[in-house]
Amino acid sequence: MSISNQDSWLPTFQEFVNHWTAVNSELGSQMTLLGPYSMANFTADRASLDTLMTAVTTADNVLTNAKGDLDIKIAGGVARLKQFRGACQSLLVGSQYEKSPPLVPSPASIPGKFVKAFDDMANVWLQVNTTPPTGFTGPLTLQGGYLIATYTTELAAIRTAYVTYTNAQENARIAREARDIQFKKVYNKIKGYKGRCISMLASNSSLLGTIPVLRAPAGGTPDPVVLTGVWVSSTGRLTWTPSTNPNLDHYQVRFHYGPKYKAAEEQIVATVAAGTHLLDTLYNLGASGSSGLFKVYVVLTTNNEKGSNAVKITRP
């Protein structure tokens, strides 16, 4: 094992714990690194990293749920906005309100743009009811006798969902930063392990030949595959070209909310066996208008890896 992606952090560090235990047994004493930094310190730091990584997973789950809830509420708001625009263009023709309703944001728009459009719609609707144009008798209603009072309640729920989502984004970012700080601390401490073993163990010790590898060998980065992503019927479908690398171990599909893919913030969607080049997924695509960026990584037996191009899938 060696450090490549986040999945490899804890198993790799555990290999050092196991080896360090054997070294201490052979020496009959506790080998320490610069600090002094003992195996007990390293074990405790690894446990802390484990806890922080779990916290990131929890924060990402909260974020995913918050985004899904917001997407569902936004989809409902879009339907009402389309109805409202239709009402203004048919019932308020020739008035100052005919062209007042906001445009429906494109599916690729950030959530805040939808919330702004919904707020603008509420303002225009209130103006229509308060100061109706000549020839129109209010209140203006939408399909099913839908009134502005009901819309105001739903809009408040959309705003609440938006705040919950933005807070979840920030909490996930903070959790990642705490995790990454701890990882760097542990990684920097263990970098001196190999040299310390060489200086402490007898030259004929078998443990010198089993020192864990901290990083995958240089120069072994695989070629990326080419990824394609589309919405098919009721699912997002990802397909990619096969990797021809003889050391291929598996593929891993990862996700980012966008609008620009950031590897440091990506989430693991699925691990796919070598030989399979298709994945159907609804990951973060739970509602109409939901979208996200996907990559597929080629992961070798050496733990070297390379990500594909990022593709965006938007649920209609």
Side-chain angles (χ1 to χ4, degrees):
M1 200 73 179
S2 58
I3 297 295
S4 55
N5 55 44
Q6 295 164 18
D7 284 348
S8 66
W9 291 359
L10 294 176
T12 299
F13 288 151
Q14 185 58 46
E15 288 184 356
F16 280 89
V17 171
N18 297 341
H19 191 270
W20 204 334
T21 300
V23 168
N24 287 344
S25 177
E26 183 170 305
L27 292 176
S29 61
Q30 298 294 310
M31 183 182 77
T32 60
L33 305 182
L34 182 65
Y37 188 77
S38 67
M39 188 188 78
N41 297 137
F42 180 71
T43 302
D45 281 343
R46 181 191 176 280
S48 295
L49 177 61
D50 191 1
T51 299
L52 292 170
M53 291 182 73
T54 299
V56 170
T57 300
T58 300
D60 279 344
N61 289 339
V62 171
L63 176 57
T64 297
N65 291 337
K67 183 60 165 59
D69 180 57
L70 179 60
D71 285 345
I72 290 171
K73 287 181 169 60
I74 284 178
V78 166
R80 293 301 181 186
L81 177 52
K82 290 178 179 178
Q83 292 173 7
F84 183 73
R85 287 180 56 81
C88 290
Q89 292 165 2
S90 59
L91 300 177
L92 308 177
V93 177
S95 75
Q96 69 271 34
Y97 301 117
E98 180 183 357
K99 297 182 180 180
S100 293
L103 297 175
V104 178
S106 72
S109 300
I110 60 175
K113 191 168 184 178
F114 286 97
V115 176
K116 174 62 166 59
F118 299 155
D119 282 337
D120 290 346
M121 170 181 160
N123 178 60
V124 175
W125 198 343
L126 180 62
Q127 292 298 316
V128 170
N129 288 349
T130 303
T131 313
T134 301
F136 174 77
T137 301
L140 186 149
T141 62
L142 303 183
Q143 182 183 14
Y146 186 87
L147 296 168
I148 190 173
T150 305
Y151 177 70
T152 300
T153 300
E154 292 183 0
L155 179 55
I158 293 174
R159 291 196 192 101
T160 297
Y162 179 63
V163 171
T164 299
Y165 166 66
T166 55
N167 287 344
Q169 278 187 309
E170 182 63 12
N171 291 340
R173 183 192 65 78
I174 292 172
R176 279 194 182 82
E177 287 188 356
R179 176 203 64 190
D180 293 347
I181 289 172
Q182 181 67 7
F183 168 74
K184 290 177 182 178
K185 173 186 175 182
V186 180
Y187 181 85
N188 288 333
K189 285 292 186 181
I190 205 64
K191 281 197 300 185
Y193 182 82
K194 181 177 180 179
R196 187 60 169 156
C197 285
I198 293 172
S199 70
M200 293 292 293
L201 294 170
S203 59
N204 63 347
S205 172
S206 62
L207 292 176
L208 288 174
T210 59
I211 297 174
V213 177
L214 190 56
R215 282 288 186 185
T221 302
D223 291 331
V225 296
V226 178
L227 179 64
T228 301
V230 294
W231 181 262
V232 179
S233 182
S234 60
T235 188
R237 174 160 294 177
L238 299 167
T239 56
W240 55 92
T241 56
S243 171
T244 58
N245 195 295
N247 294 319
L248 173 66
D249 187 74
H250 63 271
Y251 301 103
Q252 193 168 76
V253 178
R254 303 177 193 170
F255 170 89
H256 187 264
Y257 287 101
K260 182 178 180 180
Y261 197 98
K262 297 180 181 179
E265 298 176 358
E266 64 190 6
Q267 301 175 19
I268 296 172
V269 177
T271 297
V272 181
T276 301
H277 312 110
L278 180 148
L279 179 71
D280 287 339
T281 181
L282 289 176
Y283 194 88
N284 279 286
L285 300 173
S288 176
S290 296
S291 66
L293 301 175
F294 294 86
K295 280 189 176 185
V296 62
Y297 282 74
V298 174
V299 184
L300 305 184
T301 55
T302 59
N303 273 343
N304 290 91
E305 65 175 28
K306 184 67 174 181
S308 69
N309 54 302
V311 299
K312 183 173 185 176
I313 296 180
T314 300
R315 180 169 182 168

